[in-house]
Amino acid sequence: MKAIRRFTVRTVLPQSLGALDALAANLRWSWHEPTRQLFAEIDPVIWQDIAGDPVALLGAVSPARIQELADNAAFVARANALKEDLDRYTTEPRWYQSLASAPKHIAYFSPEFGIAAALPQYSGGLGILAGDHLKSASDLGLPLTGLGLFYRSGYFKQSISSDGWQQEAYPVLDPDGLPLTLTRHADGTPALVSLALPFGRTLHARIWQVAVGRVTLLLLDTDIPENEESLRGVTDRLYGGGGEHRLLQELLLGIGGVRALRIWTELTGAPEAEVFHTNEGHAGFQGLERISTLISEGLTFAEALQVVRAGTVFTTHTPVPAGIDRFDRGLVQQYFSGDLLPGVDVWEVLALGAETYPGGSHDVFNMAVMGLRLGQHANGVSQLHGEVSRGMFAGLWPGFDASDVPITSVTNGVHAPTWTDPLLLKLAEDKLGTSDTTAAEWSSGAVTDAELWAVKGRMRANLVADARRRITEAWHEENPGASAPAWFDEVLDPDVLTIGFARRVPTYKRLTLMLEDEKRLISLLTSKKRPVQLVIAGKSHPADDEGKRLIQKLVRFAQDPELRRRLVFLPNYDIAMAQVLYPGCDVWLNNPLRPLEACGTSGMKAALNGALNLSILDGWWNEYYDGEDGWAIPSADAAGDAAERDKLEAESLYDLIENQIAPRFYRRDDKGVPSRWMKSVRHTLDTLSPELSADRMVREYVQRLYMPAAKAAEAISEGDFAGGRELAQWKSLVQSAWGGVSVVHVESGGLAPVPQVGDALSVRAQVQLGTLTPDDVAVQVVYGTSREGDDLVDTATVELAPLQDDALDAHDPMTGTLFLDGSTTFAGTVTLQRPGSFGYNVRVVPKNPYLVNPAEMGLVAVAH
């Protein structure tokens, strides 16, 4: 008989063990090794079975064991000491508190958060990145609050059928069995946010709180009695349902998220958020809720838009237009035509998401486009992805080169305490005197090659044991009551070169590129002298049959009796698996179609554990590969078609493994240590660990985006939003008058017959401003290297200054040219700083102290 309802009954701990409740309730345990060791000591078998979840552990341990621990003075003392340490961690000043003029509160919106396996609210890299962002924000002391949704079934649980096909299951989560706390008003009633929907319906959501160190994460949950049945499932699954279901989720995330934040700040006394960071376009509607609030305070939509833009940071993770959320325009119009956002006109909303560029569709509402229009500060997630994003969205800034598009980049990082194996952490503590593996001197002689190699060997052995356990458990799930095949105990070898590959499985990540030449791969895997083994994991989106077919092809290939001990696919890839998989690999493989990998943080996590990367030069690897930290797979960009490209890149992959990677791994000294390999491992740990850390990433966000955004928001809001009112009026004036702006004439001089480095080029430009004034514009010389076709690259700018007001009939003193059109003269000099081909042009762009970037308004006049 099946239960009609399930719920979790929490253990009541003796008073002496009260510290355990506090430690379990704060997710710092997910990255604080001493706390994890304490919980593991309670019952190591249960701890492993429940994937390191303290709440589940305390509910599963016998009362007798609880009483035994309560009577153990040493254990109680350790628990209390760790509780005191947690209290200090959450209250004492950290890095952020040393900064001057930093924002007092930052709101961070994301559709998913991957913090711990115990809280499965993530699908892949975007969520893991968001979780790592919160953890490093906590470690650095940022006053940051996360906003997301609580999905009752998370993403999905993956299993593989006997014929290799991915199957999805959606187990329902019980929030009472998770480290969550319900947000309540002072009278004890649950706090709710409500959204007015079409046809008189209302969507309600309660607010769960998650303690992530010193950071709070708020998750909205619609599975409550206050909702009609059809609306209780809005937060059922991550990325589930069709267009309208997804739209409802994103309306709740953005609009409901801001309302939840407002309730939480009122209840806790926290300051109002000054900066709003949207992690991908899913949460873009948060800006509209803030606009609605400002309209209620007396601003127009245009004025409120300027205020909201100033304090908004938008991060795009998408390298292809197909990956962007686009909703039917009529559907969006229907939802915003009612009382959802008081004071906000539906046509203003639709304009924000309109694809008004060549190739865009009039029938859709584009969430990334809205995110860019609502955010004055925008970034991609690696240097290469920044370039790709500037090209992809260049149509929003017509007339500007892609390099001028106002999207910068902050390369992703990963949270080292979460992803660094405890064995490596202990080695750093014992030999290098630090628990911060990103700051340890791994090149120091204090750690020998033999010691580091031994730790890598133990990590590899742990992976082998974990893989065998997982495939055995998966077998029993698919074949209840049947004995697992005996050869499962021989899957993988702890002494064999191990290559890992794990990620989401869209087609562009090319899961099966390694199968391009099956005979060649079999030869590598089964080599007697230098064998290789592959450990692979990943989930395909439930609606992506092409991705599922790739998994099926790989699984079927791995079922060959000749290969099954050297190639394994592990089902249900999650955080718990990843924390054993990354450290246990010697090499991490990544072979996407370049440049479709926005960042690729899985390889970062492997590098933090001394694994060497073998990757296409895409994402983060494109900027960090130096020839010693791994290998670059050459991209066959000149290939005639996709099939030829795959063939050429797969051949390069095989060649690298056979001729460089395997020989280096198996070449041992007289102590059995691969000294040349260990040189690369040390180099990776030394050079990449600090750069790939989420602490570095979050510091960049603070200094390059959060602080400027807070400053801009403060300036534009002063004096009852005087700056916002002024900027809106000025923008309207400039936009209506821009048709009268042109560069009439450009003259230059001052150079010797043969220009040399250090010479000064004098430039004068006659500019017709129409009804604008010189204060409304910047006249710039754009100069750089001139290539074939006169295209300028590696450009820089110098702003020209207006001369005295020109009379209607004025002579250019440099050339004697007579101007009769009332244009204004701008002049300045450009110092020639490097030899080679040189070219320049002159452009006019809007200029205002509230603008962050000259391309911001998408207006430019260029000399011809």
Side-chain angles (χ1 to χ4, degrees):
M1 181 178 294
K2 293 185 177 180
I4 61 171
R5 184 173 176 234
R6 294 191 310 165
F7 56 89
T8 301
V9 180
R10 294 204 179 191
T11 300
V12 178
L13 295 172
Q15 185 176 358
S16 63
L17 293 180
L20 293 181
D21 269 337
L23 292 171
N26 191 309
L27 284 173
R28 189 180 76 141
W29 58 255
S30 68
W31 73 89
H32 189 245
E33 189 58 25
T35 303
R36 293 179 61 80
Q37 290 174 358
L38 180 80
F39 282 115
E41 187 177 311
I42 293 174
D43 192 310
V45 175
I46 296 177
W47 179 251
Q48 179 173 334
D49 287 345
I50 49 86
D53 177 356
V55 175
L57 173 74
L58 295 177
V61 174
S62 69
R65 177 57 175 160
I66 292 292
Q67 189 57 52
E68 181 184 346
L69 293 170
D71 296 337
N72 184 330
F75 183 88
V76 170
R78 282 177 59 203
N80 288 335
L82 286 169
K83 169 63 168 58
E84 292 172 4
D85 179 74
L86 176 62
D87 291 340
R88 286 192 298 272
Y89 171 85
T90 56
T91 56
E92 289 181 350
R94 304 185 76 81
W95 170 79
Y96 192 84
Q97 283 63 49
S98 69
L99 302 177
S101 304
K104 296 180 177 62
H105 190 187
I106 302 149
Y108 182 88
F109 291 73
S110 179
E112 50 177 305
F113 287 90
I115 299 168
L119 190 64
Q121 301 291 302
Y122 59 93
S123 71
L126 180 71
I128 299 298
L129 180 278
D132 283 6
H133 196 109
L134 296 194
K135 293 172 185 178
S136 277
S138 173
D139 289 344
L140 295 171
L142 272 66
L144 183 145
T145 302
L147 285 305
L149 303 180
F150 177 71
Y151 304 98
R152 277 302 176 102
S153 295
Y155 189 40
F156 67 87
K157 181 179 179 182
Q158 179 197 50
S159 60
I160 303 297
S161 69
S162 58
D163 67 347
W165 192 253
Q166 171 179 292
Q167 298 173 315
E168 299 93 26
Y170 295 89
V172 176
L173 301 172
D174 177 11
D176 291 330
L178 299 172
L180 305 175
T181 304
L182 194 59
T183 303
R184 297 181 183 274
H185 292 294
D187 61 3
T189 58
L192 299 179
V193 297
S194 301
L195 278 66
L197 303 182
F199 311 115
R201 299 181 303 159
T202 302
L203 176 66
H204 305 283
R206 61 182 166 187
I207 309 164
W208 292 106
Q209 295 183 41
V210 187
V212 186
R214 59 195 291 156
V215 163
T216 297
L217 169 62
L218 304 179
L219 300 176
L220 302 182
D221 177 10
T222 62
D223 189 13
I224 55 176
E226 288 81 358
N227 281 325
E228 60 183 71
E229 191 62 33
S230 64
L231 295 177
R232 292 186 67 159
V234 166
T235 55
D236 56 352
R237 302 173 183 175
L238 175 59
Y239 303 141
E244 186 167 8
H245 187 84
R246 184 78 164 265
L247 177 61
L248 278 166
Q249 288 187 341
E250 298 192 4
L251 290 170
L252 180 62
L253 174 60
I255 298 171
V258 174
R259 294 176 184 178
L261 181 66
R262 193 176 298 130
I263 291 171
W264 183 79
T265 55
E266 290 172 357
L267 291 174
T268 61
E272 293 185 3
E274 299 173 47
V275 175
F276 289 75
H277 184 177
T278 58
N279 188 37
E280 197 47 270
H282 310 283
F285 291 123
Q286 57 81 22
L288 294 176
E289 166 66 13
R290 293 158 58 208
I291 286 173
S292 176
T293 300
L294 291 169
I295 289 174
S296 71
E297 297 177 18
L299 273 65
T300 66
F301 183 95
E303 293 166 348
L305 174 61
Q306 309 315 315
V307 176
V308 165
R309 291 187 76 251
T312 300
V313 175
F314 172 66
T315 297
T316 174
H317 293 258
T318 307
V320 289
I324 295 170
D325 276 346
R326 302 163 83 221
F327 295 109
D328 177 79
R329 189 173 186 271
L331 181 65
V332 175
Q333 180 178 343
Q334 180 186 86
Y335 272 85
F336 283 93
S337 293
D339 299 324
L340 178 62
L341 289 179
V344 176
D345 185 89
V346 63
W347 303 109
E348 301 277 16
V349 174
L350 294 174
L352 288 173
E355 295 183 346
T356 55
Y357 43 80
S361 171
H362 176 73
D363 299 325
V364 301
F365 185 92
N366 188 307
M367 294 296 289
V369 167
M370 178 179 68
L372 290 166
R373 287 179 173 145
L374 283 174
Q376 194 173 36
H377 317 266
N379 69 283
V381 292
S382 69
Q383 289 181 8
L384 180 59
H385 180 240
E387 294 176 17
V388 170
S389 298
R390 288 188 287 274
M392 187 166 69
F393 294 111
L396 294 174
W397 292 273
F400 288 91
D401 293 339
S403 59
D404 292 317
V405 169
I407 301 175
T408 185
S409 61
V410 176
T411 301
N412 282 344
V414 295
H415 186 245
T418 294
W419 300 109
T420 303
D421 192 273
L423 293 171
L424 193 64
L425 175 62
K426 188 174 189 307
L427 182 66
E429 290 173 337
D430 292 346
K431 298 294 182 177
L432 301 176
T434 179
S435 59
D436 182 358
T437 56
T438 68
E441 294 184 19
W442 292 105
S443 58
S444 165
V447 173
T448 67
D449 281 353
E451 289 169 330
L452 186 53
W453 174 244
V455 165
K456 285 296 298 179
R458 291 170 62 193
M459 288 152 61
R460 193 184 312 109
N462 287 342
L463 169 58
V464 170
D466 190 63
R468 292 173 180 175
R469 178 182 63 83
R470 288 180 181 276
I471 63 172
T472 300
E473 290 177 355
W475 168 270
H476 288 309
E477 287 186 15
E478 290 292 312
N479 305 274
S483 298
W487 62 266
F488 277 15
D489 293 333
E490 300 173 2
V491 166
L492 306 180
D493 184 329
D495 296 320
V496 167
L497 170 61
T498 304
I499 300 177
F501 182 104
R503 52 191 35 86
R504 288 185 306 109
V505 189
T507 52
Y508 78 86
K509 291 182 182 283
R510 297 193 295 183
L511 171 69
T512 56
L513 182 69
M514 62 186 75
L515 304 184
E516 187 69 23
D517 184 340
E518 294 184 358
K519 290 183 178 179
R520 185 89 182 269
L521 178 59
I522 291 171
S523 175
L524 292 171
L525 296 174
T526 60
S527 169
K528 299 298 184 184
K529 185 178 180 182
R530 297 176 183 140
V532 175
Q533 59 193 13
L534 283 162
V535 185
I536 303 167
K539 293 180 177 179
S540 178
H541 188 281
D544 183 6
D545 282 350
E546 286 302 312
K548 292 180 184 181
R549 273 189 273 274
L550 296 180
I551 292 175
Q552 183 180 48
K553 181 179 180 181
L554 184 72
V555 170
R556 286 179 171 176
F557 178 77
Q559 290 171 344
D560 185 330
E562 185 183 10
L563 302 176
R564 59 194 184 192
R565 291 174 177 80
R566 289 284 182 265
L567 173 59
V568 61
F569 182 91
L570 302 179
N572 205 39
Y573 179 44
D574 65 2
I575 288 176
M577 179 194 295
Q579 288 176 318
V580 181
L581 176 56
Y582 297 131
C585 290
D586 302 295
V587 173
W588 195 258
L589 174 62
N590 189 28
N591 46 231
L593 282 170
R594 188 181 192 270
L596 303 185
E597 182 83 274
C599 184
T601 53
S602 62
M604 293 180 167
K605 303 178 187 88
L608 289 182
N609 290 281
L612 308 183
N613 273 266
L614 169 61
S615 176
I616 294 285
L617 284 172
D618 200 2
W620 73 275
W621 190 237
N622 185 69
E623 64 195 84
Y624 284 112
Y625 168 66
D626 65 7
E628 185 60 47
D629 47 14
W631 296 266
I633 304 170
S635 296
D637 296 327
D641 56 29
E644 183 183 359
R645 178 175 182 167
D646 286 353
K647 180 177 182 294
L648 292 172
E649 294 183 0
E651 287 176 355
S652 296
L653 169 62
Y654 302 139
D655 286 342
L656 285 168
I657 294 173
E658 182 175 7
N659 300 317
Q660 296 188 40
I661 298 172
R664 186 182 298 184
F665 180 84
Y666 285 107
R667 189 177 299 122
R668 309 292 166 86
D669 62 18
D670 55 3
K671 297 179 181 178
V673 176
S675 54
R676 179 63 184 87
W677 183 272
M678 297 313 297
K679 178 183 178 183
S680 294
V681 170
R682 286 179 183 273
H683 177 81
T684 292
L685 290 171
D686 254 338
T687 62
L688 290 184
S689 292
E691 289 296 311
L692 303 185
S693 165
D695 284 3
R696 184 271 310 155
M697 173 190 72
V698 171
R699 286 191 181 100
E700 277 198 55
Y701 273 110
V702 169
Q703 294 166 333
R704 294 179 48 209
L705 292 169
Y706 293 166
M707 292 176 71
K711 183 178 180 181
E714 180 183 19
I716 208 167
S717 301
E718 286 180 345
D720 190 29
F721 307 106
R725 300 176 196 272
E726 174 190 323
L727 181 59
Q729 182 179 8
W730 178 83
K731 279 189 172 182
S732 178
L733 171 69
V734 170
Q735 286 166 341
S736 63
W738 198 256
V741 176
S742 64
V743 181
V744 179
H745 188 72
V746 176
E747 295 286 349
S748 64
L751 295 179
V754 180
Q756 295 182 338
V757 172
D759 287 354
L761 173 70
S762 299
V763 180
R764 285 177 179 259
Q766 294 296 136
V767 178
Q768 176 60 257
L769 296 177
T771 58
L772 300 181
T773 72
D775 291 338
D776 294 321
V777 301
V779 179
Q780 300 173 330
V781 179
V782 182
Y783 64 94
T785 301
S786 179
R787 290 186 173 173
E788 187 176 352
D790 295 328
D791 289 332
L792 294 177
V793 297
D794 300 327
T795 57
T797 60
V798 167
E799 185 170 342
L800 303 181
L803 301 183
Q804 71 279 1
D805 292 341
D806 294 332
L808 286 177
D809 295 338
H811 285 83
D812 186 325
M814 183 183 292
T815 65
T817 304
L818 177 66
F819 296 98
L820 304 174
D821 57 3
S823 58
T824 302
T825 304
F826 291 78
T829 59
V830 177
T831 301
L832 307 184
Q833 296 178 334
R834 58 191 178 199
S837 177
F838 178 88
Y840 77 93
N841 202 339
V842 173
R843 72 181 182 190
V844 186
V845 293
K847 180 181 180 180
N848 187 287
Y850 294 115
L851 298 183
V852 171
N853 188 288
E856 191 171 315
M857 293 179 64
L859 300 174
V860 64
V862 180
H864 297 287

